[in-house]
Amino acid sequence: MDKESFFIKPTSQQIYILNKCISSYIDDYLQRNLTNYLPKLEGSIISFLGKNKKKNIIVTSTDIYKSLNISKVTVSQALNSLVSKGYVTFMIDGSDRRKKIVSLTNSGQKVIKELDEVFSTLEQEIDRLLDETEKEKMSEILFKILSYIKEVKK
């Protein structure tokens, strides 16, 4: 797509196109640069578990589907895949036997470390594209859009 045809599109279409392009680029980048590539949902779950582990927060499968806004069935399938790959384990909650606590294994923690390194490199590559004024303006625009979305969701 050339610059002129992009700019004549309504803003909502520009955002949609940008989102699809960024998602596709990140997925391709991860496939090329990760030793053990994970599908997007599994990567999101691993990242969620890693962030909560750093904060010493215990995570259940319910926490995952509520936080990531994904169905129970989809989260269950992804978690089972992560278990079969050796990245997560389940434990029964001592206070409520219906709850499954999800934990990263040592292999899962290595995946987190690799994801962090790859995303850091990707961020540095993208960061070089914009000067400080452009970064500031982009942040202002994105903040404005996100604020609007949060307000509309209330």
Side-chain angles (χ1 to χ4, degrees):
M1 172 176 296
D2 61 32
K3 189 175 181 178
E4 286 82 32
S5 63
F6 182 76
F7 280 110
I8 62 170
K9 293 192 179 301
T11 305
S12 61
Q13 286 183 8
Q14 291 174 347
I15 293 170
Y16 175 78
I17 291 166
L18 181 62
N19 181 47
K20 284 190 67 135
C21 288
I22 290 172
S23 292
S24 176
Y25 176 76
I26 289 172
D27 193 53
D28 291 346
Y29 188 89
L30 292 175
Q31 284 185 40
R32 286 191 316 272
N33 292 286
L34 286 176
T35 306
N36 297 301
Y37 170 75
L38 293 172
K40 185 177 179 179
L41 176 58
E42 292 179 18
S44 295
I45 291 172
I46 286 276
S47 294
F48 179 78
L49 291 170
K51 288 174 188 167
N52 283 287
K53 182 175 177 49
K54 288 177 184 173
K55 298 175 189 174
N56 291 319
I57 297 173
I58 294 173
V59 176
T60 66
S61 54
T62 302
D63 298 325
I64 295 169
Y65 83 77
K66 285 182 177 178
S67 295
L68 299 180
N69 199 24
I70 301 166
S71 75
K72 290 179 188 181
V73 172
T74 303
V75 168
S76 179
Q77 290 169 344
L79 285 172
N80 287 333
S81 175
L82 290 168
V83 167
S84 71
K85 293 174 183 174
Y87 298 145
V88 301
T89 59
F90 293 120
M91 294 184 315
I92 302 298
D93 186 328
S95 62
D96 185 347
R97 300 193 53 77
R98 296 171 296 173
K99 289 184 180 178
K100 287 184 183 179
I101 296 171
V102 185
S103 301
L104 288 168
T105 63
N106 287 338
S107 295
Q109 291 175 30
K110 289 177 186 174
V111 169
I112 291 288
K113 185 175 184 208
E114 186 180 15
L115 274 171
D116 288 346
E117 290 169 2
V118 169
F119 270 109
S120 177
T121 302
L122 175 61
E123 287 171 7
Q124 290 170 16
E125 289 176 13
I126 292 173
D127 199 47
R128 286 192 288 266
L129 294 173
L130 305 172
D131 63 34
E132 289 306 313
T133 304
E134 291 169 324
K135 289 176 199 173
E136 194 173 299
K137 187 66 177 170
M138 184 179 78
S139 292
E140 289 171 10
I141 292 167
L142 291 175
F143 180 78
K144 189 173 187 177
I145 293 169
L146 288 172
S147 297
Y148 170 77
I149 290 169
K150 286 181 180 180
E151 189 63 33
V152 169
K153 283 181 113 178
K154 286 184 181 179

